[in-house]
């Protein structure tokens, strides 16, 4: 994205910009930067606070125009709640809302003094990186297939901070590129963003950097590998499946790679176990796991991380057709294990199990899959936390910590063996669905059966977090921020 980031330490009344952003507290009123602005304009801001026209409620914005004594023609005051309780969530809400209030123009340059306030448990580097990321996020507009939509004219954002923190802005820009890629791929309609399109986008990433190589496996190559489970899902679609394998050599060849695997169902009708009509269009987002691993991969490449990384996107469309797989079918996975299909709408695990088996040929240091896997995960955790499942406590702790650091949070669910009998089948080694209960967990348990030799494996269910639901819903780009935060720590 073309938002230019910089750092600036200056009196807010003297800055040459189109708008200055400063914080207001609900209890103690003006932040230090807002006080400086208030003094420069003869107390006008304090009077607006007294009259109740300006509020310190978290995320609430007030735009003041042409204040005497202040160089910038606009001052945007943004509420951050009570001064001692500004946590990561309130801070990021204020950071995003302040950009949202200004992104429609005519402003093109903004200075934000928001990063001067104290945030509970977070340091200056955190505030700068995450405020920059929130600004990138808030300034994004989906325009690709909406001819009447305009991209934001914002071009430059300076943040209050010292030059020593310049690296945080570079990191934020690298992460933002990955987040934006994931959002854009998610938002594209399913008649454009099909498996071949995802492969083509991976090709652009590979072409941009000579440490990156790409292999795309087609149906015949997957047949030769015995990927009967993935191919079973794919067989009802006119859009042939692709297994997209991107490889980044950022470290010595003897270092084992981290491998990210993403669910790339470019549209999920449910297949023969067809979904109800209302809301089905949201299933264009069923490739957001794949989009997020491609996004995290792009960020890692752009940041030049000193790691070896492989991103695998399993790109398949799940359609009802005369050639479709059906309930009752028994599929033979690449691992040799057989699977009785009891519901063709539980297709994500069927493509992931073969992608996870394939991934093990790279002898991964860590194997992480990301998937919009279950409605049950949305019931359990809602829209805020990714569902995290792993048998490896150390890896789970690393991912929870990365989620907390990036405020792209995950919450762990158990995948104890006690749940495994729910997948029993008389016709095959396992069924593709559990019972009525614990649907997110039985899906995780299913995947666990295909990663048994792999110590460090984790599964992220992003069904509730990958997009904002409803008619105005857009892809969030999550969990790219979590994944890149974690990858940065692996160097
Ligand atoms: N892609 C869906 C999961 C989903 C549903 C994500 C709603 C986000 C919102 C997945 O393929 C699916 O259909 N899962 C079924 C599994 C069931 C048949 C065991 C589900 O969750 O209902
Ligand atoms: Mn489904
Ligand atoms: Zn699905």
């Amino acid at each position: 994205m073309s938002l230019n980031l910089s750092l600036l330490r200056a009196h807010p009344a003297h800055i040459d910009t189109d708008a200055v952003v400063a914080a207001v507290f609900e209890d103690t009123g003006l932040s230090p930067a807002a006080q400086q602005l208030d003094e420069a304009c003869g107390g006008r801001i304090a009077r607006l606070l007294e009259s109740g026209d300006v509020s310190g409620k978290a995320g609430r914005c007030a735009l003041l125009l042409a204040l005497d004594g202040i160089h910038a023609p606009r001052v945007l005051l943004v509420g951050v709640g009570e001064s001692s309780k500004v946590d990561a969530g309130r801070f990021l809400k204020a950071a995003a809302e302040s950009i949202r209030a200004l992104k429609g123009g005519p402003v093109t340059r903004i200075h934000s003094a928001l990063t001067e306030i104290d945030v509970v448990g977070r340091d200056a580097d955190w505030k700068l990186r995450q405020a920059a990321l929130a600004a990138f996020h808030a300034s994004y507009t989906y325009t690709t297939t909406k001819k009447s939509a305009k991209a934001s004219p914002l071009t430059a954002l300076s943040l209050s901070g010292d030059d020593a923190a310049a690296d945080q802005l570079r990191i934020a820009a690298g992460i933002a590129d990955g987040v934006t890629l994931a959002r854009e791929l998610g938002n594209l309609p399913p008649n454009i963003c099909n498996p071949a399109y995802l492969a083509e986008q991976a090709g652009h990433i590979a072409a941009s950097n000579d440490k990156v190589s790409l292999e795309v496996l087609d149906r015949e190559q997957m047949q030769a590998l015995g990927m009967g489970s993935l191919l079973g899902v794919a067989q009802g679609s006119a859009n042939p499946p692709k297994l997209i394998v991107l490889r980044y050599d950022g470290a010595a060849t003897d270092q084992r790679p981290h491998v990210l695997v993403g669910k790339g169902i470019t549209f999920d009708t449910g297949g023969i176990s067809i979904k109800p009509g209302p809301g089905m269009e949201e299933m264009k987002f069923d490739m957001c796991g794949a989009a997020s691993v491609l996004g995290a991969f792009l960020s890692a490449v752009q940041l030049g991380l000193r790691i070896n990384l492989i991103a695998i996107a399993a790109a398949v469309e799940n359609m009802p057709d005369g050639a479709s797989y059906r309930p009752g079918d028994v599929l033979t996975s690449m691992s040799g294990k057989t699977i009785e299909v009891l519901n063709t709408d539980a297709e994500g695990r069927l493509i992931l199990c073969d992608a996870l088996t394939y991934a093990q040929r790279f002898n991964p240091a860590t194997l992480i899959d990301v998937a919009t896997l279950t409605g049950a995960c949305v019931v359990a955790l809602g829209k805020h936390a990714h569902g995290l499942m792993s048998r490896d406590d150390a890896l789970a702790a690393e991912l929870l910590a990365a989620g907390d650091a990036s405020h792209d949070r995950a919450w762990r669910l158990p995948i104890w063996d006690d749940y495994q009998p729910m997948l029993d089948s008389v016709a095959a080694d396992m069924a593709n669905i559990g019972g009525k209960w614990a649907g997110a967990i039985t899906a995780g348990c299913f995947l666990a059966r295909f990663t048994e030799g792999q110590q460090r494996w984790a599964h992220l269910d992003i069904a509730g977090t990958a997009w904002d639901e409803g008619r105005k819903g857009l892809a969030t780009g999550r969990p790219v921020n979590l994944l890149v935060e974690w990858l940065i720590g692996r160097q």
Side-chain angles (χ1 to χ4, degrees):
M1 216 185 292
S2 57
L3 189 60
N4 230 309
L5 297 177
S6 58
L7 292 162
L8 188 61
R9 277 271 182 231
H11 192 291
H14 302 160
I15 297 172
D16 176 24
T17 184
D18 300 332
V20 175
V21 176
V24 182
F25 300 115
E26 215 168 353
D27 51 347
T28 54
L30 304 183
S31 64
Q35 269 168 33
Q36 287 178 296
L37 290 163
D38 184 56
E39 278 158 30
C41 70
R44 296 265 318 267
I45 298 177
R47 286 201 291 280
L48 285 167
L49 191 69
E50 264 162 45
S51 67
D53 288 289
V54 166
S55 140
K57 238 181 129 291
R60 188 76 64 80
C61 293
L63 182 64
L64 314 178
L65 300 171
L67 295 173
D68 286 337
I70 296 176
H71 187 90
R74 299 169 195 82
V75 169
L76 185 83
L77 299 172
V78 58
V80 289
E82 285 179 44
S83 54
S84 61
K85 292 186 184 155
V86 183
D87 56 11
R90 291 192 186 93
F91 175 79
L92 292 174
K93 184 167 187 206
E97 289 306 323
S98 60
I99 298 297
R100 227 165 260 139
L102 296 167
K103 72 183 270 199
V107 168
T108 66
R109 301 171 306 157
I110 299 175
H111 176 78
S112 180
L114 202 56
T115 43
E116 291 175 20
I117 66 173
D118 289 333
V119 180
V120 179
R122 310 288 177 163
D123 63 11
D125 279 354
W126 183 90
K127 288 187 286 183
L128 288 165
R129 189 199 294 188
Q130 298 304 331
L133 275 164
F136 277 115
H137 208 277
S139 60
Y140 170 84
T141 309
Y142 175 73
T143 62
T144 315
T145 52
K146 179 162 169 161
K147 298 305 169 198
S148 58
K150 280 203 314 273
S152 168
L154 289 180
T155 56
L157 172 68
S158 57
L159 297 170
S160 292
D162 299 317
D163 280 336
D167 211 38
Q168 295 305 322
L169 302 190
R170 183 187 68 84
I171 293 170
I175 297 173
D177 278 341
V179 172
T180 304
L181 174 67
R183 297 185 79 186
E184 190 64 18
L185 292 174
N187 291 332
L188 282 168
N191 59 330
I192 293 177
C193 187
N194 56 32
Y197 183 90
L198 284 176
E200 206 182 301
Q201 300 314 302
H204 294 321
I205 301 175
S208 72
N209 191 299
D210 55 16
K211 290 186 179 156
V212 177
S213 54
L214 170 68
E215 192 178 358
V216 179
L217 306 192
D218 62 16
R219 197 192 311 259
E220 288 66 39
Q221 288 167 293
M222 290 189 266
Q223 249 150 14
L225 287 165
M227 292 188 175
S229 185
L230 184 152
L231 292 171
V233 178
Q235 75 195 31
S237 173
N239 292 308
K242 307 283 176 196
L243 191 76
I244 301 162
V245 185
L246 275 168
R247 195 181 174 125
Y248 166 60
D249 299 314
T253 43
D254 61 350
Q255 275 196 34
R256 294 163 73 193
H258 302 291
V259 181
L260 307 177
V261 175
K263 171 180 173 182
I265 294 287
T266 61
F267 194 71
D268 182 13
T269 61
I272 297 303
S273 314
I274 198 163
K275 288 181 182 292
M280 198 201 276
E281 70 286 348
E282 291 195 31
M283 284 298 122
K284 73 172 184 179
F285 294 116
D286 212 19
M287 35 56 70
C288 283
S292 74
V293 311
L294 294 179
F297 183 90
L298 176 67
S299 296
V301 172
Q302 291 202 350
L303 293 173
L305 299 188
R306 285 165 278 109
I307 55 170
N308 292 327
L309 180 65
I310 292 172
I312 302 178
V316 180
E317 190 178 44
N318 187 23
M319 296 291 273
D321 181 82
S324 289
Y325 79 137
R326 39 184 112 47
D329 282 2
V330 173
L331 308 175
T332 303
S333 66
M334 184 181 172
S335 71
K337 294 184 171 128
T338 59
I339 305 160
E340 184 185 15
V341 177
L342 292 180
N343 190 319
T344 63
D345 198 11
E347 84 297 339
R349 63 199 76 181
L350 295 174
I351 67 165
L352 286 172
C353 68
D354 279 344
L356 286 167
T357 301
Y358 182 77
Q360 285 168 46
R361 69 176 45 203
F362 300 111
N363 188 21
T366 317
L367 179 56
I368 301 174
D369 74 80
V370 187
T372 49
L373 205 61
T374 64
C377 191
V378 195
V379 173
L381 296 174
K383 307 292 295 176
H384 300 293
H386 315 297
L388 167 66
M389 284 151 262
S390 180
R391 285 177 166 157
D392 189 297
D393 291 340
L395 176 59
E398 286 171 18
L399 291 167
L400 290 172
D404 183 55
S406 58
H407 203 63
D408 184 2
R409 292 167 296 178
W411 197 259
R412 193 173 179 187
L413 300 173
I415 46 167
W416 300 318
D417 286 339
D418 309 61
Y419 294 97
Q420 286 289 354
M422 294 175 81
L423 294 167
D424 284 351
S425 158
V426 283
D429 297 334
M430 71 197 85
N432 78 326
I433 56 172
K436 192 169 169 188
W437 312 114
I441 290 170
T442 50
C445 286
F446 180 95
L447 297 177
R449 293 183 178 218
F450 297 87
T451 57
E452 270 163 357
Q454 174 74 37
Q455 282 299 304
R456 275 172 57 91
W457 162 73
H459 160 58
L460 284 167
D461 192 331
I462 60 165
T465 51
W467 74 93
D468 298 318
E469 81 193 319
R471 287 289 296 271
K472 292 188 174 167
L474 283 176
T476 59
R478 297 180 65 187
V480 171
N481 201 355
L482 178 158
L483 290 171
V484 182
E485 180 78 37
W486 177 78
L487 288 170
I488 288 171
R490 306 277 73 72
Q491 297 180 92

